[in-house]
Amino acid sequence: MGHFVNGIYRRYIKRSLDFILSLTSLVVLSPVLLTVAIMVRKKLGHPILFKQKRPGLNGQIFIMYKFRTMTDEKDKNDDFLPDEVRLTKFGKFLRASSLDELPGLFNILNGDMSLVGPRPLLVQYLKLYNEHQQRRHEVRPGLTGLAQVSGRNGISWDEKFKLDVKYVDNVSFFSDVKIIFLTFKKVINKEGINSDTAATMEPFKGN
C-alpha cells in the first residue's frame, strides 16, 4: 500500500505541489529577490544571474539559474582565478544563506527542477557516471535534496551519489517534507557549505 501511495505522489502530486509552492514563494519572496538582485549588481556587477547548462530528468539539458556569487577576475592567460579568490565575502554570505538559490524557483515553475531531488550537477559529469550513479536522473533534480541535508559539500562524491539514489528509491511526501524542514535547519546553522579541502566542492573525476 505504501509503495502505491508513494507512486501516486511521485507521478501526479509532486509536480503539482512544486508548481503551487514555487509560484507562491516567488510572489511572497519577490521583495527579497529584488533586494538581492540589486545588491549583486552593486557588489559583483553584471550579469546578476549565473546561468549554466545542467542535466535534469532523464539527463535532459536545461538552463539553471542562480544569483551570481563570484567575480570575473582572470589571470594573465585570461583564465578564471580559483573559486576561493573570486568568491567574495558577499558571495559567501549568499551561499551560506542559500539566497543564491532563489532564482531556481523559476526552474521549478518551468518544470526543469523540483523542490526536492538530487542536485543538478555539471553536464560534463554525465560521461563519468557508472550505472548506479546515473540513476540520480530518474527524478527531477531538486533545489535541495537528501545529500544536501546529510552534509551538503562536506561529504564525498561517493556518499552524495549513494544518497541521491537512496532518495530516488524512496520518494514520498513525508520524506520531502522532512528534507525541506532539515534544509531550513542546515541553512540556519550554516552547515556543510564548503568541502574540507576547497571553497566550494572538488570536481567529480569519476571512479
Side-chain angles (χ1 to χ4, degrees), residues 22-41:
S22 60
L23 181 60
T24 302
S25 297
L26 283 169
V27 172
V28 173
L29 297 175
S30 56
V32 178
L33 282 159
L34 180 59
T35 301
V36 175
I38 293 172
M39 293 298 293
V40 170
R41 181 67 178 89

Side-chain angles (χ1 to χ4, degrees), residues 195-207:
S195 70
D196 292 333
T197 58
T200 51
M201 183 68 189
E202 297 84 358
F204 176 61
K205 299 179 181 179
N207 297 301

Side-chain angles (χ1 to χ4, degrees), residues 1-9:
M1 185 65 178
H3 289 296
F4 175 76
V5 173
N6 292 341
I8 294 296
Y9 170 73

Side-chain angles (χ1 to χ4, degrees), residues 23-190:
L23 181 60
T24 302
S25 297
L26 283 169
V27 172
V28 173
L29 297 175
S30 56
V32 178
L33 282 159
L34 180 59
T35 301
V36 175
I38 293 172
M39 293 298 293
V40 170
R41 181 67 178 89
K42 180 179 179 181
K43 292 181 175 293
L44 298 174
H46 185 79
I48 293 172
L49 292 180
F50 170 77
K51 304 176 184 179
Q52 192 174 58
K53 291 182 178 180
R54 297 290 175 96
L57 179 65
N58 299 320
Q60 293 296 310
I61 307 301
F62 70 97
I63 304 297
M64 186 189 73
Y65 304 109
K66 296 176 68 173
F67 278 123
R68 180 180 174 184
T69 58
M70 293 192 287
T71 66
D72 287 331
E73 295 176 89
K74 297 182 179 180
D75 59 22
K76 59 183 180 181
N77 297 319
D78 204 35
D79 294 322
F80 284 116
L81 293 176
D83 288 356
E84 56 266 26
V85 176
R86 297 188 296 122
L87 186 59
T88 64
K89 184 177 180 180
F90 176 64
K92 290 178 180 179
F93 164 74
L94 290 180
R95 292 193 178 195
S97 61
S98 291
L99 289 172
D100 63 319
E101 302 283 357
L102 288 181
L105 291 169
F106 289 103
N107 287 124
I108 298 173
L109 196 65
N110 290 338
D112 299 321
M113 293 176 60
S114 175
L115 281 170
V116 181
R119 284 291 293 165
L121 302 176
L122 300 178
V123 173
Q124 56 262 40
Y125 291 171
L126 286 173
K127 61 184 178 182
L128 301 176
Y129 296 147
N130 59 35
E131 186 176 346
H132 181 73
Q133 294 164 347
Q134 283 281 4
R135 294 197 57 222
R136 70 192 312 278
H137 295 294
E138 292 179 11
V139 297
R140 285 184 177 85
L143 200 63
T144 185
L146 182 59
Q148 281 61 52
V149 299
S150 301
R152 206 169 176 178
N153 285 338
I155 59 177
S156 70
W157 280 112
D158 185 56
E159 291 172 304
K160 280 188 177 184
F161 290 132
K162 287 179 180 178
L163 290 167
D164 287 342
V165 176
K166 180 180 179 180
Y167 173 79
V168 170
D169 288 334
N170 297 279
V171 176
S172 72
F173 173 75
F174 293 107
S175 67
D176 280 0
V177 170
K178 181 179 179 180
I179 289 170
I180 291 173
F181 172 77
L182 290 174
T183 297
F184 283 114
K185 181 180 178 182
K186 288 281 183 181
V187 170
I188 292 172
N189 294 333
K190 298 181 181 179

